[in-house]
Amino acid sequence: MPAAKSGSDPTTAARDARRLSTLLEVSQALSGTLNLKSGMQRVLQTLIRQHSVVRGMVTLLREGELHVEAVEGFEDRARSIRFKVGEGITGKVVESGRPIVVPRVSKEPAFLNIAPRRPDQGKQELSFICVPIMLNRQAVGTLAVDLRFKAERDYDSSVKFFGIVSGLLAQALNVQRQVEDERRRLLDENTHLRQELRERYDFSNIIGTSGPTRQMYEQVAQVAQTNTTVLIRGESGTGKELIAHAIHYNSLRAKKPFVKVSCAALPDTLIESELFGYEKGAFTGANARKKGRFEMAEGGTLFLDEIGDINLSTQVKLLRVLQEREFERLGGTETVKVNVRMIAATNKDMEKAIADGTFREDLYYRLNVFTIFVPPLRDRKADLLLLADHFLEKFSREHGKVIKRISTPAIDMLMAYHWPGNVRELENCLERSVLVCDSAVIHGHHLPPSLQTADSSGTVTRVSLKDAVAAYERDLILDALKTTRGNRAKAARLLDTTERILNYKVRGYAIDVRRFKTPEVGRRGPDAMPEGLRDASAAQ
Ligand SMILES: Nc1ncnc2c1ncn2[C@@H]1O[C@H](COP(=O)(O)OP(=O)(O)OP(=O)(O)O)[C@@H](O)[C@H]1O
Ligand SMILES: [Mg+2]
């Protein structure tokens, strides 16, 4: 029996002992370094020193080819050798996942003599053993050694031994790959977090390249670094808050707090205590002193959103803080000094509010040091596509969908609409579309009903001549009514027809003329058209 034989044979016993000590050295070499390449190098050196290995090579599979990871006993240029899977003995070992032994290299025609011997290796006969490095039952590389030829060599036992060495290499490789994966994951996470911070702090997340938007960027850049009070004006949903953030995070106060007060959300009775804080016992329920938002924003920025909604008595107190940078807490006598930069925003017509007596003129002038007007979305249609793409990407990511683009008809519909709710409405519209979208493209029918038009729903093209003419006629009438803001007499003149005929057609097509009448021209603009008929001027 071989076992009994190996136990009794003193040379075999010595060989086994040497092998055990080699395995110990190998595992120490691999665990003692974070650099796997140098660990492998030391493994090969150990094999050469302890056994009759003349030279050795470790290859690893990368991008479909075997790359030399470590060599010992070869000329240096051997490091650049590449093996294809299936090519030569090394390639076949990886392909089959089984070791190959060549007892006499000189007699083996399949032996690719890619790496010639060094002069000092002479002409001695060599045996070649190549074992796979297996990871998760897959060959991911090889360990190959040239041994001095010995006629009496027990190749089975040698293959087993080198197999164990390759197993240790595989373990080290596994650990290294896990560490690498973890490192990559942490790097990704880090990049993601940085990105998030940048998004929050930078104004690169303000999308748009149109003339009015660029002008706005310039104003933000001009004023951010100063301590000037800024008033941001614009319709609802145009991005006023976004701009207030951009100013703060691009100012010298960026590391200090940005505190927001929604003036419209706070009842008159609460707003003063919110802004200025109170002393203990100032009113029933004031059990302890409380800091107001002004004090919370110390060193930073206080953003007074919807300032147009603030009551007159609070306006007086605000005026004092703006002028003197000091105030008293409610129920207190101590004067508190503050270093706060103020940004206010409103969608109200301030001039009208002053004329009506609901807003103090002196406060307005104090706030109106540097005013940024945020144009409504309908006046910067050049930004619309960029914004739409931005929101498409954002919501696709959020909802885990792969939606690549917006179809041309859907883009036409977006361009034709007048966006009374501005960017916020566009944002909501895109989120809805992403939610209902069942393909890789947003089509017209994914957009909300307010954007659907006779045109986009295809009633013009895929119908009989009679219906097509009717649809065209209806479109012309809608267009004329839109241009004349619902004035039928003018619309009739535009269409070179009589008011009587127009009225007849309007009834026939069930057109609701009232919807074209825009009482608040400034707010909704001439484009206010719930039917969302394509706006010829906007589409140009
Ligand atoms: N230029 C822009 N780029 C990217 N997102 C924008 C832009 N403008 C506005 N938004 C987005 O539109 C939404 C509305 O913006 P924001 O809250 O700043 O508007 P607002 O003017 O303060 O509105 P309101 O007067 O109703 O408070 C936000 O989600 C904001 O991120
Ligand atoms: Mg706002």
Side-chain angles (χ1 to χ4, degrees):
M1 266 180 75
K5 189 182 153 209
S6 75
S8 58
D9 184 345
T11 52
T12 318
R15 186 198 68 193
D16 287 350
R18 208 170 56 238
R19 284 183 175 175
L20 274 179
S21 97
T22 302
L23 289 180
L24 183 68
E25 260 189 60
V26 164
S27 67
Q28 280 170 346
L30 291 173
S31 60
T33 173
L34 283 176
N35 181 341
L36 192 58
K37 261 190 184 193
S38 74
M40 289 174 167
Q41 201 77 38
R42 282 186 54 201
V43 170
L44 293 177
Q45 285 161 3
T46 308
L47 293 180
I48 289 179
R49 195 162 13 90
Q50 301 267 40
H51 302 270
S52 48
V53 172
V54 177
R55 50 188 199 173
M57 178 183 280
V58 178
T59 66
L60 286 181
L61 200 55
R62 254 185 283 138
E63 286 141 16
E65 272 192 329
L66 285 159
H67 292 240
V68 173
E69 211 65 10
V71 282
E72 206 49 50
F74 282 94
E75 304 243 4
D76 253 1
R77 63 196 151 99
R79 290 179 192 279
S80 55
I81 299 174
R82 302 270 182 281
F83 297 94
K84 291 201 169 42
V85 175
E87 179 191 83
I89 294 179
T90 306
K92 286 205 176 72
V93 168
V94 165
E95 192 180 48
S96 64
R98 293 172 173 282
I100 292 183
V101 178
V102 181
R104 279 169 178 266
V105 167
S106 63
K107 302 237 157 45
E108 174 60 52
F111 200 81
L112 289 182
N113 219 354
I114 299 178
R117 297 171 188 203
R118 280 202 324 229
D120 57 307
Q121 287 160 357
K123 286 211 166 16
Q124 61 181 327
E125 179 64 286
L126 295 176
S127 304
F128 178 75
I129 297 180
C130 184
V131 290
I133 299 176
M134 304 292 286
L135 205 61
N136 303 325
R137 296 180 186 201
Q138 297 236 317
V140 293
T142 60
L143 164 67
V145 289
D146 287 301
L147 299 156
R148 271 195 298 280
F149 172 74
K150 277 191 216 155
E152 75 284 11
R153 189 182 292 281
D154 176 354
Y155 286 101
D156 271 359
S157 128
S158 294
V159 166
K160 271 194 196 122
F161 168 66
F162 290 113
I164 295 171
V165 176
S166 104
L168 291 172
L169 289 174
Q171 267 183 23
L173 189 66
N174 193 19
V175 169
Q176 196 216 26
R177 290 196 176 166
Q178 277 179 12
V179 168
E180 190 55 34
D181 280 355
E182 181 64 9
R183 201 179 72 93
R184 207 168 303 128
R185 195 187 63 75
L186 287 173
L187 262 179
D188 279 357
E189 187 172 299
N190 198 328
T191 321
H192 175 76
L193 287 174
R194 269 169 200 263
Q195 173 73 13
E196 228 171 57
L197 270 184
R198 202 175 317 131
E199 269 175 21
R200 202 176 306 160
Y201 293 163
D202 205 4
F203 57 109
S204 62
N205 66 328
I206 305 182
I207 310 291
T209 51
S210 67
T213 308
R214 276 212 300 272
Q215 207 176 337
M216 219 164 60
Y217 292 148
E218 260 167 42
Q219 287 178 315
V220 171
Q222 269 172 10
V223 82
Q225 302 276 317
T226 69
N227 272 328
T228 313
T229 303
V230 181
L231 180 63
I232 307 172
R233 296 180 64 172
E235 290 178 14
S236 181
T238 44
K240 296 186 291 295
E241 191 165 338
L242 209 59
I243 287 172
H245 271 107
I247 294 175
H248 172 74
Y249 288 114
N250 286 283
S251 75
L252 303 173
R253 299 167 176 264
K255 292 203 173 75
K256 298 283 181 168
F258 175 90
V259 176
K260 175 184 159 175
V261 185
S262 291
C263 303
L266 290 165
D268 286 356
T269 46
L270 272 185
I271 183 121
E272 286 188 20
S273 68
E274 267 307 314
L275 283 174
F276 306 114
Y278 50 78
E279 297 289 350
K280 185 175 174 183
F283 45 83
T284 340
N287 300 326
R289 173 198 272 187
K290 183 177 178 288
K291 277 188 178 183
R293 306 272 174 112
F294 267 105
E295 279 178 89
M296 289 182 201
E298 177 61 31
T301 306
L302 184 73
F303 175 46
L304 297 165
D305 202 5
E306 294 159 77
I307 188 107
D309 292 317
I310 211 160
N311 67 61
L312 279 167
S313 90
T314 312
Q315 286 178 30
V316 178
K317 294 200 171 166
L318 263 185
L319 181 65
R320 174 162 166 236
V321 191
L322 275 167
Q323 280 173 338
E324 333 237 334
R325 304 275 153 187
E326 62 181 36
F327 61 90
E328 284 92 36
R329 297 186 194 100
L330 295 195
T333 48
E334 183 197 342
T335 303
V336 184
K337 289 233 167 250
V338 280
N339 166 17
V340 164
R341 194 247 185 105
M342 281 205 256
I343 303 180
T346 182
N347 57 12
K348 285 258 161 74
D349 181 346
M350 297 300 273
E351 288 72 17
K352 184 167 175 292
I354 293 166
D356 293 349
T358 55
F359 205 88
R360 289 182 66 105
E361 196 169 3
D362 43 8
L363 176 60
Y364 174 66
Y365 287 127
R366 278 279 159 188
L367 290 171
N368 194 19
V369 186
F370 191 100
T371 299
I372 297 179
F373 285 94
V374 191
L377 185 57
R378 63 179 166 280
D379 290 349
R380 43 182 172 129
K381 288 224 162 136
D383 293 344
L384 205 141
L385 280 188
L386 280 179
L387 280 163
D389 274 342
H390 165 75
F391 292 133
L392 176 67
E393 198 200 309
K394 173 178 157 190
F395 291 120
S396 302
R397 201 175 340 114
E398 266 178 31
H399 297 293
K401 291 198 167 182
V402 186
I403 304 175
K404 296 271 185 250
R405 63 183 183 88
I406 307 172
S407 75
T408 313
I411 288 176
D412 286 347
M413 288 163 72
L414 293 175
M415 293 301 271
Y417 187 58
H418 57 291
W419 301 108
N422 293 297
V423 185
R424 184 178 292 115
E425 187 182 6
L426 178 67
E427 189 173 6
N428 294 341
C429 160
L430 260 297
E431 178 160 24
R432 176 195 193 274
S433 311
V434 166
L435 279 174
V436 301
C437 183
D438 46 8
S439 65
V441 181
I442 300 271
H443 289 290
H445 62 270
H446 295 131
L447 298 177
S450 52
L451 273 78
Q452 304 295 338
T453 65
D455 194 5
S456 63
S457 51
T459 44
V460 179
T461 47
R462 252 174 282 132
V463 285
S464 66
L465 179 66
K466 183 167 162 267
D467 287 351
V469 171
Y472 185 56
E473 189 177 50
R474 183 173 183 271
D475 269 7
L476 287 177
I477 294 170
L478 283 170
D479 218 5
L481 283 168
K482 194 180 118 218
T483 313
T484 62
R485 298 210 191 117
N487 184 324
R488 297 183 201 207
K490 278 190 192 167
R493 273 202 298 283
L494 259 184
L495 293 171
D496 221 351
T497 181
T498 64
E499 200 177 347
R500 196 182 63 80
I501 292 178
L502 187 86
N503 275 335
Y504 170 75
K505 302 259 183 204
V506 162
R507 268 198 307 279
Y509 291 127
I511 296 170
D512 184 359
V513 181
R514 279 172 311 175
R515 297 167 92 179
F516 298 95
K517 302 198 168 161
T518 45
E520 284 177 80
V521 174
R523 200 173 72 77
R524 308 236 329 174
D527 283 1
M529 248 226 42
E531 297 246 7
L533 182 79
R534 179 195 296 256
D535 179 343
S537 61
Q540 273 165 16

